[in-house]
Amino acid sequence: MKVWITRTQPGAGRTAARLQSVGLIPLIDPVLEVRPLDASADTSGFDGLVFTSPNAVAGFARIGSERSLPALAVGEATAEALSDAGFSDIHTAGGDIGALAALLATRPERRLLHLAPARPVADLAAVMAPAGIEVVVRPIYETVPILPTVARAATDLAAVLVHSARAAGVLAEQAGNRLPHLHVLALSQACADPFDGVPVKSLAVAPFPDDASLVRLARDTLPKAP
């Protein structure tokens, strides 16, 4: 069965490899494009760096050389990107903002720099302020919608994987005519919420907010799909 991957590279390639390993056919056709913003790479005065996506890691690696500060990652994919970028002091949360906030609350760092998208999922500074942790948010990239022409024209798709709430919103708008025929498999509840009221063949959320869990959900769902 063919599965549409809506995330950007390089993550899309890793998802494709996982799908192939469980006998599914990947189709990579992102609904978002990552564009860098003009941002400072200055990290002076901060105790640690916070990253909430591999795109943020790539954006910072492009402009900054700092690798010695503790790096706090939202989940495994971001931690993997940090390791690939040369960071060694990496601490990984459970895959969503709530888990990240819980991790930050246990850490000794009191002043953190969040290398963020232009439209972050949550206001991490406000979330952490009651714990006495200062988070400075610095946008370093933005994601803009693009038209997924290949997937929209494909006639043999069985499912679509959704890795972000932003992508979910774009998908619901741009591919609404395809969704009644597709099983929508979401990384988290936040990724599923934009499909509320949208006709889909089925909607399921991965048990854990990581790519491996989402692929296992596809493996377990699609062979049983009517």
Side-chain angles (χ1 to χ4, degrees):
M1 289 190 173
K2 186 172 290 187
V3 180
W4 178 8
I5 301 170
T6 59
R7 72 190 305 201
T8 58
Q9 293 287 16
R14 293 192 290 269
T15 301
R18 285 192 171 108
L19 286 171
Q20 289 175 322
S21 73
V22 298
L24 297 172
I25 303 169
L27 172 65
I28 299 174
D29 197 7
V31 298
L32 296 171
E33 181 178 80
V34 178
R35 296 179 182 175
L37 297 175
D38 185 14
S40 169
D42 184 14
T43 59
S44 58
F46 293 101
D47 305 320
L49 307 177
V50 180
F51 296 88
T52 48
S53 76
N55 290 327
V57 177
F60 180 75
R62 179 182 57 83
I63 62 173
S65 60
E66 169 59 53
R67 299 293 187 273
S68 62
L69 284 172
L72 296 310
V74 69
E76 292 294 341
T78 302
E80 182 180 347
L82 285 165
S83 179
D84 291 344
F87 287 86
S88 57
D89 189 3
I90 302 168
H91 306 271
T92 310
D96 58 24
I97 291 297
L100 179 61
L103 172 65
L104 299 186
T106 69
R107 299 286 307 164
E109 296 84 17
R110 298 288 95 183
R111 191 167 191 264
L112 298 166
L113 175 62
H114 178 198
L115 286 311
R119 295 173 55 180
V121 173
D123 185 349
L124 197 57
V127 171
M128 300 312 303
I133 298 173
E134 180 185 2
V135 177
V136 175
V137 180
R138 182 181 297 168
I140 62 170
Y141 75 95
E142 64 177 348
T143 53
V144 296
I146 57 175
L147 190 64
T149 54
V150 176
R152 282 164 56 103
T155 59
D156 54 351
L157 287 178
V160 57
L161 302 187
V162 186
H163 284 78
S164 73
R166 175 90 164 114
V170 173
L171 185 64
E173 291 178 5
Q174 292 195 356
N177 63 322
R178 295 303 316 273
L179 297 179
H181 309 288
L182 297 178
H183 299 276
V184 177
L185 307 177
L187 186 74
S188 66
Q189 187 58 49
C191 298
D193 287 343
F195 298 101
D196 184 28
V198 177
V200 299
K201 192 167 187 178
S202 73
L203 176 63
V205 178
F208 302 100
D210 59 71
D211 187 52
S213 296
L214 185 58
V215 170
R216 285 194 294 270
L217 177 65
R219 177 200 66 191
D220 295 341
T221 299
L222 294 182
K224 303 171 187 176

